[in-house]
Amino acid sequence: MIIVPLYAFLIIYGVFLLACAGFFVVNVGNLVRTGTFTFASLLATFLFLSCTAIVVWGTWHTLQAVDWAQPIFNFTYASV
Amino acid sequence: MRLSECIHQKSYERVTRLVRRHFITLVPALVVFALLLTLPVGAAWLLRTVFPSLETSATLLPIIVLFGSGYYIAVLLFFYSYFLDFYLDLLVITNDRLIDMEQVGIFARHTAEVDLYKIQDITSEVKGVFASLFNYGDLLIQTAGAVERFVVEGVPRPDTLRQEILDLATGDRAYHQKTT
């Protein structure tokens, strides 16, 4: 019997967030390497971080009461 | 790292202008960004209408919320990267050189430079309704250097910039002829 719990999607979401964080770090690295830390670039970075924080907080707030251990898929092999 | 280190600024060199693309060239992307942000709202309304039981589903609702959250973060990241791609395209004009730095995506950067005295010809182009209204366009710089042709797109006031670069090039050529 193969049970896929709901927290599998949470793990996928976490991996996705890590990948986005990696891309963000590369972008900031480009800003540092080119010496273009100006008001406009800092404002864009601040807006991106704050909007992302709002989205993540909203997601956490919406999904607080979820039982992540419940199964999504339940594969049962029929015994011969 | 500062810009002076990035362009390996020489001791006698001073930066006279930093030119970026006109902000109006970013507006079409901002419109697309706004549309993409509203897409999940429409999708949520459609799902509620077609599948009303989804709102109370203990398993499907968290997946849909996670998917929506991932979508928003992906859109934000895409447009942050797009803005930096726009912002890091820079034309640095000094009293000695012209340095064209172009960010190509996140993982690539193209930099070309030419000594001012090697500039042979500059053409400025303003094409289109918005370009004429907001006075932005392209500069085509013909040089005798390794890169024969520079194309700098979407710069504000290209006619003024063309004249400024030509004046600097004339001054630099006169200086080099005096010293040789």
Side-chain angles (χ1 to χ4, degrees):
Chain A
M1 194 168 68
I2 301 170
I3 299 170
V4 179
L6 189 56
Y7 62 71
F9 288 90
L10 204 56
I11 291 168
I12 294 167
Y13 181 73
V15 169
F16 172 76
L17 283 185
L18 276 173
C20 288
F23 278 112
F24 172 73
V25 165
V26 171
N27 273 317
V28 172
N30 284 333
L31 277 179
V32 169
R33 230 177 291 127
T34 55
T36 42
F37 259 131
T38 60
F39 175 73
S41 63
L42 282 174
L43 179 66
T45 306
F46 171 76
L47 283 173
F48 168 74
L49 283 176
S50 50
C51 290
T52 305
I54 290 168
V55 168
V56 172
W57 177 84
T59 307
W60 170 79
H61 184 74
T62 309
L63 302 178
Q64 263 185 308
V66 172
D67 175 20
W68 294 101
Q70 64 180 306
I72 288 284
F73 302 113
N74 201 338
F75 300 105
T76 309
Y77 293 109
S79 56
V80 177
Chain B
M1 190 190 269
R2 286 194 283 185
L3 186 66
S4 56
E5 291 163 4
C6 187
I7 63 171
H8 305 289
Q9 191 172 357
K10 298 161 193 164
S11 54
Y12 57 84
E13 195 175 15
R14 75 193 147 71
V15 176
T16 54
R17 276 281 284 272
L18 289 176
V19 182
R20 286 191 168 88
R21 280 193 279 148
H22 199 292
F23 182 79
I24 208 75
T25 58
L26 206 49
V27 169
L30 287 175
V31 170
V32 171
F33 177 52
L35 280 170
L36 286 177
L37 286 181
T38 56
L39 265 179
V41 177
W45 173 83
L46 199 69
L47 281 173
R48 268 201 206 112
T49 314
V50 177
F51 304 106
S53 60
L54 269 179
E55 268 189 280
T56 50
S57 168
T59 50
L60 287 177
L61 184 64
I63 295 170
I64 290 168
V65 170
L66 285 178
F67 182 78
S69 171
Y71 172 83
Y72 271 120
I73 291 171
V75 168
L76 284 168
L77 180 65
F78 178 77
F79 282 96
Y80 176 64
S81 303
Y82 188 89
F83 172 78
L84 287 189
D85 193 310
F86 156 86
Y87 197 72
L88 294 179
D89 287 349
L90 192 57
L91 179 69
V92 183
I93 306 171
T94 75
N95 58 332
D96 185 53
R97 299 177 286 167
L98 202 72
I99 304 145
D100 181 28
M101 301 198 284
E102 194 183 328
Q103 185 72 28
V104 184
I106 301 176
F107 298 106
R109 189 161 181 79
H110 178 249
T111 306
E113 66 176 67
V114 66
D115 288 318
L116 284 176
Y117 72 91
K118 288 183 182 172
I119 291 174
Q120 296 171 323
D121 181 46
I122 306 177
T123 307
S124 62
E125 277 181 0
V126 176
K127 275 195 285 191
V129 174
F130 289 104
S132 303
L133 272 173
F134 294 99
N135 195 15
Y136 68 91
D138 302 342
L139 277 183
L140 292 85
I141 304 170
Q142 191 73 33
T143 78
V147 180
E148 287 180 3
R149 211 169 127 101
F150 275 70
V151 180
V152 188
E153 295 177 344
V155 294
R157 296 183 301 279
D159 295 330
T160 315
L161 193 60
R162 184 197 73 228
Q163 195 55 54
E164 203 176 305
I165 296 172
L166 276 173
D167 292 342
L168 283 168
T170 307
D172 196 45
R173 207 173 294 120
Y175 169 79
H176 276 84
Q177 281 168 357
K178 221 190 302 180
T179 51
T180 51

